[in-house]
Amino acid sequence: MGMVETLISKAFQTALLMHKQKIASHTYHLKLKLASGFANYLPGQQLRVFVGLDNPLNVNDLLRTYSVWHYNPATLEADLAVCTFSKGKGAAWAEKIQTGETVYFSGPKGRFVFDRSAAAYLFLGDISALAPLYELARQVEPGQSFRGFVYSADESDFFMDGFSGNQFKFIKAVDYQSCTIIQELNGLQLPATNTITYIAGEAAFCKDLHDYFHKTLCWDARQIKAKPFWHSNKKGLE
Ligand SMILES: Cc1cc2nc3c(=O)[nH]c(=O)nc-3n(C[C@H](O)[C@H](O)[C@H](O)COP(=O)(O)OP(=O)(O)OC[C@H]3O[C@@H](n4cnc5c(N)ncnc54)[C@H](O)[C@@H]3O)c2cc1C
């Protein structure tokens, strides 16, 4: 192990990549075997993954954020779904990493987590947010209900939740994604109370949808959980 790797392994937690599979046109499923279990994991949280081992001097390209798709504390396995639409350092890391290699990460952390207080849930986002939205949907209990909508330009980008068989509704949206999703929502006659919506993905989409629920439908802000995952023309958002 080189000096840089030794330093990184002291600063980060480690896992081995057990399994890697391309599950959609722009998404890899990465299954990690953790060296030790997550401390206080809450569904919806994310990891900061070290993606810059090949050029550790480039500080903008050292870390990228990926949410946990599924976590099994009994087997110490955690799953990520990493998209490659961005063609940046994170995408290149996901393309390149091989099973048996070490993954360095910190976390999990984050407040985009499940709020059990509602009777119904709505999950909205793009493909980069599909795995964590599925993870949140798996927390919905019997007696509660949910619906999910995810958009992309091409249906070959879509994947189902391999851990539940859940499948959100796919919406083909090339441009004006917010308008297309809002059109779909207008037809749903959503109950104004006792429903929580989770919105994740591109920053402008999150803002438009937050405004739609808060300003147009007059939902209470506590019913709207929005988390921008990426911002056009901005590298590694968090
Ligand atoms: C809390 C949180 C959780 C996240 N969870 C996940 C996850 O589970 N899976 C996942 O794939 N991503 C997730 N992301 C998004 C991911 O961290 C970023 O997309 C990441 O920056 C991509 O890294 P990159 O180096 O490939 O591209 P960057 O160098 O960061 O970006 C290069 C360019 O690509 C654009 N870009 C970034 N993402 C996309 C996209 N999806 N589609 C089109 N253009 C894009 C950027 O705007 C930029 O112009 C999450 C982000 C946050 C903040």
Side-chain angles (χ1 to χ4, degrees), residues 56-180:
L57 296 180
N58 185 351
V59 286
N60 289 330
D61 280 337
L62 289 184
L63 295 166
R64 292 293 183 264
T65 307
Y66 296 109
S67 304
V68 177
W69 182 8
H70 182 259
Y71 171 52
N72 185 337
T75 58
L76 296 184
E77 289 168 11
D79 299 83
L80 309 177
V82 178
C83 293
T84 56
F85 298 99
S86 50
K87 299 190 176 81
K89 190 71 189 180
W93 169 82
E95 299 267 13
K96 202 172 154 211
I97 192 166
Q98 303 286 325
T99 53
E101 289 185 23
T102 302
V103 177
Y104 300 96
F105 67 93
S106 65
K109 65 167 196 175
R111 291 188 295 166
F112 191 64
V113 295
F114 195 62
D115 176 337
R116 302 195 176 275
S117 64
Y121 296 85
L122 192 58
F123 299 102
L124 308 168
D126 63 30
I127 300 292
S128 69
L130 183 53
L133 293 176
Y134 277 147
E135 168 76 325
L136 290 166
R138 256 181 279 117
Q139 313 309 314
V140 173
E141 287 170 6
Q144 300 174 318
S145 64
F146 75 86
R147 277 185 275 202
F149 298 87
V150 68
Y151 71 84
S152 185
D154 197 303
E155 197 159 358
S156 66
D157 290 320
F158 187 53
F159 57 93
M160 66 184 283
D161 183 11
F163 302 97
S164 66
N166 286 336
Q167 195 158 310
F168 292 164
K169 183 167 180 192
F170 175 79
I171 296 176
K172 190 176 171 68
V174 180
D175 291 316
Y176 309 113
Q177 302 94 332
S178 305
C179 301
T180 315

Side-chain angles (χ1 to χ4, degrees), residues 22-41:
K22 196 164 187 185
I23 52 169
S25 290
H26 293 88
T27 308
Y28 286 96
H29 171 201
L30 304 182
K31 184 178 274 297
L32 312 182
K33 182 82 175 179
L34 306 171
S36 54
F38 288 152
N40 307 319
Y41 170 69

Side-chain angles (χ1 to χ4, degrees), residues 46 64-67 81-83 85-86 88-91 128 132 227-238:
Q46 68 270 5
R64 292 293 183 264
T65 307
Y66 296 109
S67 304
V82 178
C83 293
F85 298 99
S86 50
K89 190 71 189 180
S128 69
K227 180 72 190 167
F229 275 19
W230 59 280
H231 195 299
S232 32
N233 301 320
K234 201 170 167 194
K235 278 183 166 194
L237 193 56
E238 211 169 61

